[in-house]
Amino acid sequence: MDCIAVGDSIAVGIGQAAHCTINAKVGAGSSFIAGHTISIHKDVAVISAGSNDPSNPNLSKNLEKIRSKIRASTIIWVLPYNRKAAMIVKSVANRHGDRYIDLASVKTNDGVHPSSYMSLVKRIW
């Protein structure tokens, strides 16, 4: 599958587990991600943003900027464990008719990252 993982450390883990192109950085906030998202076409894009800045007043705006750069047949957002950020990410996904997976249904050891990226990737695909 021709895929790209965009965003933060969760996107790094997903990209590694799924063997996708990775356009992500550990610790990246939504503003950084918005400024560094590359615009290439893939079959599937997985976006993880908001986990590192759930209280950012510009989170929704940053997510929209990220989304505007993504060119993919299927776009899948990762809803963070933080419920406030998850609702913002979900609203952006819904506005664009994109899919999403909620990390709340995935086991975690630290409340930020899934305990198994392979399990998450299996749920995504």
Side-chain angles (χ1 to χ4, degrees), residues 1-86:
M1 174 158 320
D2 189 27
C3 57
I4 187 167
V6 175
D8 53 25
S9 59
I10 297 166
V12 171
I14 290 169
Q16 290 172 340
H19 306 289
C20 296
T21 299
I22 299 171
N23 180 207
K25 182 179 181 201
V26 173
S30 62
S31 180
F32 179 88
I33 297 164
H36 290 84
T37 298
I38 59 175
S39 185
I40 61 172
H41 188 276
K42 296 287 185 177
D43 294 331
V44 177
V46 179
I47 306 168
S48 177
S51 290
N52 293 318
D53 59 346
S55 297
N56 183 338
N58 294 316
L59 181 56
S60 182
K61 183 174 103 178
N62 291 338
L63 296 175
E64 288 289 350
K65 189 172 180 184
I66 294 164
R67 177 60 174 80
S68 74
K69 296 180 179 183
I70 301 297
R71 305 286 177 252
S73 302
T74 302
I75 297 174
I76 305 164
W77 292 85
V78 178
L79 306 187
Y81 288 103
N82 178 286
R83 296 295 76 197
K84 179 181 176 184

Side-chain angles (χ1 to χ4, degrees), residues 66-115:
I66 294 164
R67 177 60 174 80
S68 74
K69 296 180 179 183
I70 301 297
R71 305 286 177 252
S73 302
T74 302
I75 297 174
I76 305 164
W77 292 85
V78 178
L79 306 187
Y81 288 103
N82 178 286
R83 296 295 76 197
K84 179 181 176 184
M87 293 305 103
I88 295 169
V89 174
K90 184 177 180 180
S91 72
V92 172
N94 284 336
R95 269 196 297 278
H96 294 279
D98 298 336
R99 291 178 42 205
Y100 58 84
I101 184 159
D102 194 343
L103 287 181
S105 66
V106 178
K107 187 176 188 242
T108 181
N109 294 328
D110 64 3
V112 177
H113 304 94
S115 55

